Amino acid sequence: MPELKKEIIPAKYAGFCYGVKRAVETVKKLKAENKGKNVFVLGELIHNTQVINELENLGIKTLYEIPEKGEGICVIRSHGESPQVIEKIKQAGFEIVDLTCPDVKKVQQKAVELAKEDYFLVIVGKSEHPEVIAIKANAQLWSENVVVAASPEQLKEFEQQIKAHKKVGVVVQTTQRISTLNSVMEYLISIAKEVHVANTICSSTSMRQTEAKELAMKSDLVIVAGSKKSANTTHLAEILKDITATIHIENDDELDKYTDLIDKSKRIAITAGASTPQDVIQRVIKKLNERKK
Ligand code: SF4
């Protein structure tokens, strides 16, 4: 029987989402138009060292904390910030350019709306993630009843409070897995009388996860490229691991650790997180194609 040819299948929805693309392009444009001014970003603009170095070389600096006094432009990245942090940046003397992704803004607005309407608010997501911290801080301006949980187990801690409250509102971190939302909903419905859910997983994340799942079902191996610090990339790899062999790498150099697995896999799909630049993806594809020969 002739040996099957190896197939390398790149995902269509891989790499920068529109929120990240918008942030990277706008920040570069800002610096080009404000040559004499300092341009800072509060926190790393995206979870990618290569991009951060590229921005540094253009003179765009990352601020890891807000100084007491500063001048120039301070950019709010796509994750968004809390009202308290925004006020602190203003007080320090910076001019603010807010590049919070419009999809993240929608979650903040929905969370505020539910908090104002006296829902006990559950934010489904990771409590330490900057996007979640900002959503929570915005909602807490209106209500004390705001909690974060990444699983039904974490939510159990608040069971008595939830039962005592008449209605529960739910919003979701934009990059969460739909299965996490489903499991939280199943638990909430079992203990609460009224549950209002806003599925705020962003469409870019949903399309990326759906396509990657379909590819994984048809592949022996999926390679997920992107930073291990990136929430959406990590979630993507977690989802795919349940379907087929999956490796999460930050760049093409890491492929060397998996040559046996790569050589024995006939269909290999490649996807990437929202903060992975195209050239990283292209180098992974190139290296895999070289192993085909
Ligand atoms: S992953 Fe979604 S919410 Fe986050 S920046 Fe990209 S488009 Fe916006």
Coordinates of all heavy atoms in Angstrom, one line a residue, residues 17-20 78 101 103-104 174-175 202 204-205, ligand 1:
C17 N -6.6 38.8 16.3 CA -8.0 39.1 16.2 C -8.1 40.6 15.9 O -7.1 41.3 15.9 CB -8.7 38.8 17.5 SG -8.1 39.8 18.8
Y18 N -9.3 41.1 15.6 CA -9.4 42.5 15.2 C -9.1 43.4 16.3 O -8.5 44.5 16.1 CB -10.8 42.8 14.5 CG -11.9 43.2 15.5 CD1 -12.2 44.5 15.7 CD2 -12.6 42.2 16.1 CE1 -13.2 44.9 16.6 CE2 -13.6 42.5 17.0 CZ -13.9 43.9 17.3 OH -14.9 44.2 18.2
G19 N -9.4 43.0 17.6 CA -9.1 43.9 18.7 C -7.6 44.1 18.9 O -7.1 45.2 19.2
V20 N -6.8 43.0 18.7 CA -5.4 43.1 18.9 C -4.8 43.8 17.7 O -3.9 44.7 17.9 CB -4.8 41.6 19.0 CG1 -3.3 41.6 18.8 CG2 -5.2 41.0 20.3
S78 N -6.2 46.4 24.9 CA -7.5 45.8 24.6 C -8.2 45.2 25.8 O -9.5 45.1 25.7 CB -7.4 44.8 23.4 OG -6.4 43.9 23.7
C101 N -10.8 46.8 23.6 CA -11.5 46.2 22.5 C -13.0 46.5 22.6 O -13.6 46.4 23.7 CB -11.3 44.7 22.5 SG -12.2 43.9 21.2
D103 N -15.4 44.7 22.0 CA -16.1 43.5 22.5 C -15.9 43.4 24.1 O -16.8 43.0 24.8 CB -15.6 42.2 21.9 CG -16.2 42.0 20.5 OD1 -17.0 42.9 20.1 OD2 -15.9 40.9 19.9
V104 N -14.8 43.9 24.6 CA -14.6 43.9 26.0 C -15.4 45.0 26.6 O -16.0 44.8 27.7 CB -13.1 44.1 26.3 CG1 -12.8 44.3 27.8 CG2 -12.2 43.0 25.8
T174 N -14.3 37.3 27.6 CA -14.4 37.2 26.1 C -13.7 35.9 25.5 O -14.1 35.5 24.5 CB -13.9 38.4 25.4 OG1 -12.5 38.6 25.8 CG2 -14.7 39.6 25.6
T175 N -12.7 35.4 26.2 CA -11.9 34.3 25.6 C -12.2 33.0 26.3 O -11.5 32.0 26.1 CB -10.4 34.6 25.7 OG1 -10.1 35.0 27.1 CG2 -10.0 35.8 24.8
C202 N -16.4 36.6 22.8 CA -16.4 37.4 21.5 C -16.4 36.5 20.3 O -16.0 35.3 20.3 CB -15.2 38.3 21.5 SG -13.7 37.5 21.0
S204 N -14.8 36.5 17.6 CA -13.5 36.1 17.1 C -13.0 34.8 17.8 O -12.6 33.9 17.2 CB -12.5 37.3 17.3 OG -11.2 36.8 17.2
T205 N -13.2 34.8 19.1 CA -12.9 33.6 19.9 C -13.7 32.4 19.5 O -13.2 31.3 19.3 CB -13.0 33.9 21.4 OG1 -12.2 35.0 21.8 CG2 -12.7 32.7 22.3
Ligands
SF4_1 S1 -10.1 38.2 21.7 FE1 -12.0 39.2 21.2 S2 -12.4 40.6 22.9 FE2 -10.2 40.0 23.0 S3 -9.2 41.6 21.8 FE3 -9.7 40.0 20.4 S4 -11.7 40.5 19.5 FE4 -11.4 41.7 21.3

